[in-house]
Amino acid sequence: MLPALLLLAACGDHVGSAGPVVVRDSAGVRIVTSEAPVWREDAAWRLSAEPVLRIGELDGAPEYQFERVVGAVRRADGGIVVADAGLRALRLYDAAGKFLRTVGRKGGGPGEFEELASVHLAPGDSLLAFDWRLRRISVFAPDGSPARSVNLPASIDAVFPLPHLLGRLSDGSLLVGVGHRYRGGPATDGVRHDSTDYLRYSPAGVLLDTVAVVPSGESFVKTGFGRVGFTTAPLLFGKNSVSGLVGDRVVRGHNRAYEIGIYSPEGRLERLIRREQKARPATRADFDALVAANLEELDRGWRDRMEQVYAAMPRVSTMPFYSELLADDAQNLWVRDFSVQHGAGSTWTVFNAGGRMLGVVAMPERFRPTHIGEDHVLGVRRDELGVEYVQMFALEKGERGDR
């Protein structure tokens, strides 16, 4: 978020009506607690009933078929860039959804990918594509031609390091999170508390500083798998750290409480966003539904193993509050409400730049937003057959709903 967030909310918190909210300062940290949305009915935001753009075909030209989309962004000229991890490539389309070109392929050379994880917009409509296996950020010119690569040093402080690129800061430095599912030591059955290192790199890939090392989530370890030894998996309904980047500010929260922190690039806590909400109980039916969804796409060997892991996994009594964070182009913060309904439509709570809760926006079934603009929501929809489509909906804002 911009430095202006440190100012009093008078310039940024005007909304359609005054909702219950408490703003106070504590040791230099602004705490904004919302009890109810401030949108009136005529100020609420909603998506158009039908997509205004759709890219993808069940049967047709291969350039309109996707395998595993991990990101999609909309450029300033309206063009769409899709990152497909299955194809290990970026695909470029014009504003009308017409295919332009494919960028990248499987490999380790310049502009190639082993495990494409995400795509990000950079100034001038250039692109950043992150390969977590190669630990490499590939920079592409607006026309898709490779410009340069940034190689990140490997972390040795984990058995399973899980890096992800949060994005680029205004000074050109790069913020990378490295999550650790297991930090070694003797494997024993039980719950482990994982951690994430937030690292800032120069544009050339030189480590500048460690912004923070924080608890990230809970995993469960199950031993007794022969030569493999053990298997680790996220604890279902367990505490998990959710993070993102809004402007030059890191956004991070632990979803066992409805509290989200806004941090400076140096790791200093500047603001806490809280929502008054009671925790929902996690029932046995909820646990079974989440297990079934997680097992659905596994092959037989992994399914058998994970069934043993879930059978031994302890049960958490309450659900997390949220599962994902996403910032829009206006630097509002969208928080996805946690749900166990596989394939159902999601709901997202929107907070403005001052940290106040504006209201809730519903997303269509099987649709995952990846880029939210001033007047559109771009994302990926997977149909009942597992076919993926890139879709864009108009973001309709009611009277005074943009404040």
Side-chain angles (χ1 to χ4, degrees):
M1 293 188 176
L2 296 174
L5 289 181
L6 299 180
L7 300 176
L8 292 176
C11 63
D13 285 346
H14 290 293
V15 290
S17 63
V21 64
V22 177
V23 181
R24 64 185 179 90
D25 291 324
S26 176
V29 178
R30 167 132 314 171
I31 302 174
V32 183
T33 304
S34 297
E35 298 179 3
V38 296
W39 275 338
R40 298 188 308 256
E41 179 62 27
D42 61 352
W45 298 356
R46 55 182 56 87
L47 271 60
S48 57
E50 298 295 333
V52 296
L53 179 69
R54 181 176 180 271
I55 305 173
E57 297 177 356
L58 175 60
D59 296 306
E63 57 265 27
Y64 294 98
Q65 295 181 333
F66 304 108
E67 291 189 15
R68 183 161 53 94
V69 176
V70 292
V73 294
R74 187 173 187 247
R75 306 166 99 169
D77 64 358
I80 306 296
V81 180
V82 180
D84 192 317
L87 299 172
R88 295 176 173 85
L90 304 178
R91 279 186 176 163
L92 279 57
Y93 301 85
D94 68 12
K98 180 181 178 181
F99 174 75
L100 298 176
R101 65 176 299 189
T102 295
V103 175
R105 61 182 181 181
K106 177 176 172 56
E112 297 178 338
F113 305 104
E114 286 290 345
E115 293 291 347
L116 179 59
S118 60
V119 62
H120 307 260
L121 292 175
D125 265 354
S126 57
L127 300 168
L128 305 178
F130 183 60
D131 187 314
W132 69 264
R133 186 175 295 279
L134 295 176
R135 290 184 168 270
R136 186 171 68 189
I137 301 170
S138 297
V139 183
F140 296 91
D143 65 356
S145 58
R148 60 188 177 89
S149 296
V150 180
N151 294 300
L152 305 179
S155 168
I156 59 174
D157 189 27
V159 177
F160 301 128
L162 302 171
H164 59 281
L165 175 64
L166 275 76
R168 177 189 181 276
L169 303 178
S170 60
D171 63 0
S173 61
L174 304 163
L175 193 64
V176 177
V178 181
H180 302 278
R181 283 272 294 279
Y182 181 70
R183 283 187 177 271
T188 56
D189 289 8
V191 176
R192 284 180 174 263
H193 297 273
D194 307 319
S195 65
T196 296
D197 301 346
Y198 290 94
L199 310 173
R200 191 163 66 93
Y201 292 90
S202 74
V206 176
L207 179 62
L208 299 177
D209 57 66
T210 299
V211 174
V213 179
V214 299
S216 60
E218 296 173 312
S219 61
F220 178 70
V221 178
K222 176 71 173 67
T223 59
F225 290 101
R227 290 183 301 172
V228 176
F230 68 94
T231 295
T232 179
L235 180 66
L236 298 187
F237 303 117
K239 180 171 64 177
N240 192 31
S241 179
V242 184
S243 61
L245 191 64
V246 185
D248 275 352
R249 293 301 183 262
V250 182
V251 184
R252 182 175 59 81
H254 284 244
N255 59 8
R256 296 302 300 177
Y258 210 118
E259 180 178 275
I260 300 166
I262 311 297
Y263 297 81
S264 72
E266 296 76 30
R268 183 180 70 258
L269 177 62
E270 297 178 341
R271 179 175 299 234
L272 282 174
I273 298 173
R274 292 173 176 168
R275 177 182 177 184
E276 291 289 346
Q277 189 179 59
K278 292 183 178 180
R280 295 174 296 158
T283 66
R284 177 59 184 263
D286 294 325
F287 185 90
D288 292 343
L290 192 53
V291 168
N294 290 349
L295 295 176
E296 184 178 354
E297 297 184 2
L298 297 179
D299 61 34
R300 182 58 186 269
W302 270 106
R303 186 182 299 113
D304 291 345
R305 179 179 301 177
M306 291 307 300
E307 284 177 346
Q308 297 180 53
V309 172
Y310 289 134
M313 184 177 289
R315 287 161 177 72
V316 178
S317 60
T318 58
M319 292 187 186
F321 286 94
Y322 53 86
S323 58
E324 189 176 350
L325 305 175
L326 190 61
D328 66 20
D329 289 349
Q331 300 195 10
N332 298 303
L333 181 64
W334 295 58
V335 182
R336 180 173 182 167
D337 299 328
F338 183 86
S339 174
V340 296
Q341 298 181 24
H342 185 60
S346 59
T347 58
W348 294 69
T349 303
V350 185
F351 296 86
N352 71 0
R356 294 192 178 193
M357 179 173 61
L358 299 180
V360 176
V361 178
M363 300 286 178
E365 291 186 0
R366 301 179 180 273
F367 177 78
R368 175 174 57 89
T370 58
H371 183 192
I372 303 175
E374 291 276 4
D375 59 1
H376 68 273
V377 176
L378 179 70
V380 183
R381 180 179 181 271
R382 181 189 293 266
D383 69 13
E384 295 81 356
L385 300 176
V387 179
E388 291 186 324
Y389 303 88
V390 174
Q391 296 182 339
M392 186 171 71
F393 292 82
L395 180 57
E396 301 170 349
K397 300 179 179 180
E399 180 185 358
R400 302 183 65 183
D402 59 341
R403 304 191 215 174

